[in-house]
C-alpha cells in the first residue's frame, strides 16, 4: 500500500454479488413465481410429485454419473472439503493411534504436538483413514439434479414404490462457466424424471403374482417389443409434458429437436466410424474438435465453428447405424409424438454433454435468447441408477433452464400479457418503485381514524387485497400522491367524519370518481371487480 492510500480514511467495502450470480428482484420475481406455479400445476396433471434435494452432494456422485471427463465435472464444479469433517477424521486417526498402544492418548487434533510419533505399525491405519477421508470428504454444489434424483431413488428404495416413479424438482444449480447473457454460475432449473425398475424377464407375470422381484433372465421377444413400445410412450409423454408447460406459459418460437444416440450395443461402433472419418479430415478442423476426435468424437457434431460446418455435414448419421432395438425405439417415439400432436424436428447432430444419455435425446429452443437459446435439454438414461449402485432401472428426464425461459418470456412481453400476472401495464408506475399490485391505499387522518384504518387493513388483507397503510399520518394531498406513485387502484379515505358516520370514502384513482360506502358495501364492491 502506498503512503497516499494509507493516509486516506478507509472506506467500508462495497459488496457485490459474485460474478455469475445475481439477485432476482420484484417485480420480476412475480414472473418466476408464476412460472414455478405453472410447473407445479402442469406436472401434477401428469402424475408427477415434487422432490426437494440437497444443494450439495458427494463429488463422487457427479463424477460417476455425469462423467469425470466432461466439462461440467472436470472444470465447472464448485467443490469443497468440509473443515469440521476434516478435523473429525484427523481426531479419529489420532484416537486410533492411541488405541493401538501409544502412551500419550490424544483426544483432539488441537493438541497435536512433537510428542506424537507415528510408529510404522500405524501406517496401514493411516492409509485406511486417508482413503476414507479422500472418499467421504469432498462435496460439490450440484451442477444438475438427475444424479441426485437417482441417488434418492436408491437411498429410499423407490424400486418398491408403484412404478414408474415420476418426480420433478426446481432450484439452483452451479457451474463455473463464463458468464454471459443466459449463462450464469448460479442458475435455476426445473426438471422432471421418470424412473422405472427394469423387469426384463419373461417371468414378469410370476414375479408380480408372488410379489417377488425378478431381475434376471433373458427377455422374450414379445416382452421386449412391449417394453420398447412402453418406453417410447413414456419418452413421448415426458416431451409432451414440457411442451404443454411451455404452451401454457405462451412461450414464443418453441422448437423441439430430437435424436437417438443409440445404446451400448450400437453407439460404440458408430463412434469408431465417426472417429475414423474425422481422422481423415483432422487437418481441416479446429483445435477443440481435433482434441475431441480422441476424447469424445460425438461432441464434434455439436461444434458451432463456422469453418467446420461443411465438413460435419458430410459425416455419417447415427440414424443409419442404430441397432434394431434402438431404431425401433426411435421410430416408436416419433410415432408417439405424432399421436400426441407434438411437432418435432429430427436433428442428427444433437448430442448431449453428459455421459449418461442413451437412445432418445432432445433439446428445446425458444425465441429472443441469442446464442444461448436452449431452454430445455433431456433424454433417456437407462442404466444410470445401476451405475450408481442401485437396481437395473430405466430413466428419462429433462431439465429446463428457468433463467432462459424467463428471459424469453420477458423478451416477448409475456410477463404482462395475461390478467393473471399481477404486474399489469396500468401498474407500471408502481413497478418502477419496486412495488406492484397495490389494490387499496388507506389515507387516514386523526387518531380515531388510525385505529379504524388498522382494522380495515386487516379485514381487506384477510379478503385477499393488497393494502398499503401509511405508518404515520400524511396530509391528504401527499397521501394521494403516494397512492398514485405506488400505482394503487383505490384510495380509501378515512377521516373523523367517515369514522363517526360509518360511511367510508373510496376514490377510484384512474378517473378520480368517489363514492361513500359502509364497510360491508366496500368489501362487496371490491370483491365484484
Ligand atoms: P448449453 O449447451 O446451453 O451449455 P447444457 O447442454 O450444458 O446447455 P444441460 O446440462 O442439458 O445444458 O441443462 C439443461 C438446461 O439448463 C439448458 O438447456 C439451459 O437452458 C440451462 N443451463 C445450462 N447451463 C446453464 C447456465 N450456466 N446458465 C443458465 N442456464 C443454463
Ligand atoms: Mg453447458
Amino acid at each position: 500500500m502506498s503512503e497516499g492510500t494509507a493516509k486516506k480514511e478507509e472506506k467500508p467495502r462495497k459488496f457485490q454479488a459474485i460474478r455469475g450470480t445475481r439477485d432476482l428482484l420484484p417485480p420480476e420475481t412475480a414472473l418466476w413465481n408464476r412460472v414455478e406455479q405453472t410447473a407445479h400445476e402442469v406436472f401434477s396433471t401428469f402424475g408427477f410429485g415434487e422432490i426437494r434435494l440437497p444443494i450439495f452432494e458427494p463429488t463422487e456422485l457427479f463424477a460417476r454419473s455425469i462423467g469425470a471427463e466432461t466439462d461440467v465435472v472436470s472444470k465447472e464444479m464448485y467443490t469443497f472439503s468440509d473443515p469440521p469433517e476434516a478435523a473429525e477424521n484427523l481426531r479419529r486417526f489420532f484416537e486410533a493411534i492411541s488405541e493401538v498402544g501409544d502412551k500419550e492418548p490424544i483426544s483432539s487434533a488441537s493438541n497435536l504436538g512433537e510428542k506424537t510419533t507415528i510408529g510404522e505399525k500405524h501406517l496401514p491405519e493411516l492409509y485406511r483413514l486417508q482413503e476414507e477421508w479422500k472418499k467421504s470428504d469432498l462435496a460439490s454444489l450440484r451442477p444438475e439434479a438427475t444424479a441426485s434424483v437417482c441417488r434418492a431413488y436408491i437411498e429410499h428404495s423407490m424400486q418398491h414404490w408403484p412404478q414408474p416413479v415420476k418426480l420433478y424438482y426446481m432450484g439452483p444449480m452451479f457451474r463455473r462457466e463464463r458468464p454471459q447473457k443466459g449463462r450464469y454460475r448460479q442458475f435455476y432449473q426445473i426438471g422432471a424424471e421418470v424412473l422405472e425398475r427394469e423387469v426384463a424377464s419373461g417371468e414378469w407375470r410370476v414375479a408380480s403374482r408372488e410379489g417377488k422381484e425378478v431381475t434376471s433372465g433373458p427377455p422374450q421377444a414379445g416382452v421386449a417389443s412391449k417394453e420398447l413400445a412402453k418406453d417410447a410412450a413414456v419418452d413421448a409423454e415426458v416431451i409432451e409434458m414440457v411442451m404443454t408447460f411451455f404452451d401454457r406459459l405462451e412461450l414464443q418460437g418453441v422448437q423441439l429437436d430430437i435424436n437417438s444416440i443409440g445404446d451400448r450395443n450400437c453407439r460404440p461402433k458408430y463412434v469408431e466410424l465417426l472417429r475414423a472419418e474425422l481422422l481423415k479430415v483432422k487437418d481441416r478442423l479446429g483445435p477443440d474438435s481435433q482434441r475431441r476426435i480422441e476424447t469424445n468424437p460425438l461432441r464434434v457434431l455439436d461444434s458451432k465453428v463456422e469453418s467446420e460446418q461443411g465438413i460435419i455435414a458430410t459425416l455419417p448419421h447415427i440414424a443409419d447405424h442404430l441397432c434394431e432395438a434402438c431404431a425401433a425405439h426411435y421410430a416408436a417415439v416419433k410415432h408417439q409424438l405424432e399421436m400426441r400432436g407434438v411437432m418435432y424436428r429430427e436433428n442428427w447432430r444433437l448430442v448431449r454433454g453428459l455421459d449418461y444419455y442413451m437412445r432418445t435425446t432432445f433439446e428445446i429452443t425458444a425465441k429472443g435468447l441469442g446464442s444461448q437459446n436452449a431452454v430445455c435439454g433431456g433424454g433417456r438414461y437407462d442404466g444410470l441408477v445401476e451405475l450408481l449402485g442401485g437396481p437395473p432401472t430405466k430413466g428419462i428426464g429433462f431439465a429446463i433452464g428457468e433463467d432462459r425461459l424467463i428471459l424469453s418470456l420477458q423478451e416477448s412481453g409475456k410477463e404482462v400479457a395475461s390478467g393473471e400476472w399481477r404486474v399489469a401495464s396500468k401498474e407500471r408506475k408502481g413497478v418502477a418503485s419496486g412495488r406492484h399490485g397495490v389494490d387499496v391505499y388507506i389515507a387516514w387522518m386523526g387518531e380515531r381514524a388510525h385505529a379504524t384504518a388498522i382494522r380495515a387493513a386487516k379485514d381487506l388483507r384477510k379478503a385477499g387485497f393488497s393494502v398499503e397503510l401509511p405508518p404515520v399520518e400524511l396530509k391528504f394531498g401527499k397521501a394521494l400522491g403516494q397512492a398514485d406513485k405506488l400505482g394503487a387502484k383505490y384510495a380509501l379515505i378515512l377521516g373523523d367524519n367517515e369514522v363517526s358516520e360509518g360511511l367510508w370514502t373510496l376514490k377510484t384513482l384512474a378517473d378520480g370518481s368517489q363514492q361513500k360506502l359502509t364497510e360491508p358495501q366496500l368489501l362487496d364492491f371490491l370483491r365484484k371487480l
Side-chain angles (χ1 to χ4, degrees), residues 487-508:
K489 292 189 196 106
Y490 298 97
L492 177 62
I493 299 158
L494 292 178
D496 279 346
N497 282 349
E498 277 83 1
V499 173
S500 42
E501 282 174 20
L503 272 180
W504 300 354
T505 305
L506 188 72
K507 188 180 172 82
T508 306

Side-chain angles (χ1 to χ4, degrees), residues 271-282:
V271 169
E272 272 326 301
L273 174 71
L274 196 59
R275 183 173 279 136
E277 291 300 314
L278 285 167
L279 282 172
K280 291 183 197 161
V281 292
K282 187 172 178 182

Side-chain angles (χ1 to χ4, degrees), residues 34-341:
R34 175 73 189 134
V35 162
E36 287 164 15
Q37 189 51 39
T38 306
H40 289 300
E41 283 165 19
V42 172
F43 295 176
S44 74
T45 64
F46 281 78
F48 283 68
E50 187 183 7
I51 181 167
R52 298 198 183 195
L53 299 154
I55 300 282
F56 53 99
E57 298 263 10
T59 304
E60 189 63 19
L61 173 68
F62 301 119
R64 219 173 318 151
S65 56
I66 300 169
E69 299 304 320
T70 58
D71 283 357
V72 171
V73 169
S74 65
K75 299 186 201 142
E76 299 170 359
M77 284 211 299
Y78 289 92
T79 297
F80 55 93
S81 138
D82 214 345
E85 285 294 311
E88 171 64 14
N89 274 323
L90 219 60
R91 187 184 65 75
R92 276 172 39 208
F93 169 58
F94 285 105
E95 254 179 21
I97 295 176
S98 68
E99 272 165 28
V100 289
D102 259 11
K103 287 197 187 87
E104 303 268 355
I106 292 165
S107 59
S108 84
S110 60
N111 59 357
L112 287 179
E114 269 132 54
K115 302 182 273 186
T116 320
T117 50
I118 300 171
E120 226 164 77
K121 62 178 177 181
H122 303 135
L123 284 180
E125 185 60 7
L126 169 66
Y127 292 140
R128 191 187 69 75
L129 279 161
Q130 239 179 2
E131 280 308 304
E132 199 180 300
W133 183 81
K134 261 195 264 170
K135 266 190 265 156
S136 69
D137 227 17
L138 289 183
S140 296
L141 297 184
R142 60 184 188 189
E144 58 104 56
T146 302
S148 303
V149 174
C150 291
R151 196 256 317 126
Y153 182 91
I154 300 166
E155 191 166 335
H156 303 285
S157 305
M158 292 187 201
Q159 70 270 23
H160 300 307
W161 292 15
Q163 303 290 299
V165 174
K166 303 201 257 184
L167 299 167
Y168 72 93
Y169 60 84
M170 49 185 78
M173 307 294 157
F174 307 86
R175 295 183 195 176
R176 193 184 283 107
E177 301 195 77
R178 192 170 68 79
Q180 51 194 294
K181 182 185 173 191
R183 195 178 289 290
Y184 311 98
R185 291 180 166 181
Q186 173 171 340
F187 61 101
Y188 295 78
Q189 283 186 339
I190 299 177
E193 317 286 351
V194 179
L195 292 158
E196 179 162 21
R197 179 187 58 221
E198 255 186 89
V199 185
S201 160
E203 299 160 80
W204 157 239
R205 252 192 239 106
V206 180
S208 56
R209 204 167 43 223
E210 293 175 1
K212 273 192 213 141
E213 239 181 289
V214 176
T215 52
S216 60
Q220 291 174 353
V223 175
S225 74
K226 229 181 181 170
E227 284 293 306
L228 250 169
K230 192 174 77 179
D231 293 354
V234 172
D235 292 4
E237 194 179 69
V238 164
I239 295 173
E240 182 191 0
M241 181 168 87
V242 200
M243 297 301 268
T244 305
F245 173 55
F246 288 163
D247 202 45
R248 189 75 61 86
L249 293 170
E250 298 176 48
L251 184 68
Q252 301 295 295
V254 176
Q255 168 71 53
L256 164 69
D257 280 21
I258 62 167
N259 192 20
S260 173
I261 55 167
D263 64 5
R264 64 176 89 98
N265 292 318
C266 54
R267 189 172 31 193
K269 284 181 220 148
Y270 172 71
V271 169
E272 272 326 301
L273 174 71
L274 196 59
R275 183 173 279 136
E277 291 300 314
L278 285 167
L279 282 172
K280 291 183 197 161
V281 292
K282 187 172 178 182
D283 298 343
R284 290 155 61 202
L285 297 172
D288 278 347
S289 291
Q290 287 200 1
R291 191 166 30 83
R292 287 187 173 138
I293 296 177
E294 290 316 315
T295 57
N296 190 353
L298 279 178
R299 293 288 289 175
V300 177
L301 301 180
D302 211 16
S303 158
K304 307 274 185 309
V305 178
E306 203 48 56
S307 61
E308 295 178 351
Q309 301 307 308
I311 305 165
I312 293 171
T314 66
L315 293 168
H317 293 203
I318 188 158
D320 302 327
H321 300 273
L322 294 176
C323 62
E324 214 179 303
C326 285
H329 173 90
Y330 189 39
V333 170
K334 288 186 281 185
H335 176 63
Q336 282 280 341
L337 286 172
E338 281 149 26
M339 288 199 335
R340 288 153 207 268

Side-chain angles (χ1 to χ4, degrees), residues 475-491:
K475 291 230 167 67
F476 190 60
K478 192 154 184 208
L480 286 189
Q482 270 228 335
D484 202 42
K485 246 193 239 157
L486 293 173
K489 292 189 196 106
Y490 298 97

Side-chain angles (χ1 to χ4, degrees), residues 324-464:
E324 214 179 303
C326 285
H329 173 90
Y330 189 39
V333 170
K334 288 186 281 185
H335 176 63
Q336 282 280 341
L337 286 172
E338 281 149 26
M339 288 199 335
R340 288 153 207 268
V342 176
M343 306 283 281
Y344 62 84
R345 180 171 72 184
E346 285 184 76
N347 177 357
W348 71 276
R349 287 178 53 179
L350 179 67
V351 293
R352 315 263 338 128
L354 316 177
D355 277 359
Y356 51 63
Y357 286 115
M358 51 97 66
R359 289 192 180 160
T360 308
T361 53
F362 60 97
E363 190 166 89
I364 301 169
T365 50
K367 230 171 73 173
L369 296 171
S371 53
Q372 265 63 250
N373 66 348
V375 284
C376 175
R380 179 163 277 280
Y381 50 84
D382 297 359
L384 177 57
V385 168
E386 203 175 353
L387 184 79
L388 295 172
T393 308
K394 297 179 187 186
I396 164 102
F398 63 80
I400 294 165
E402 195 178 356
D403 309 70
R404 291 184 197 176
L405 172 58
I406 301 267
L407 263 175
S408 179
L409 290 173
Q410 287 170 327
E411 291 285 325
S412 51
K414 276 295 158 208
E415 86 271 31
V416 292
S418 134
E420 281 171 280
W421 310 125
R422 294 279 330 237
V423 190
S425 49
K426 240 170 54 187
E427 294 161 347
R428 280 272 145 178
K429 267 192 281 173
V431 166
S433 65
R435 310 270 201 128
H436 59 91
V438 174
D439 296 313
V440 182
Y441 184 97
I442 305 183
W444 59 272
M445 279 137 278
E447 256 330 287
R448 265 181 74 207
H450 193 189
T452 307
I454 289 171
R455 193 174 52 73
K458 197 186 286 259
D459 291 345
L460 285 168
R461 284 172 179 149
K462 198 168 164 193

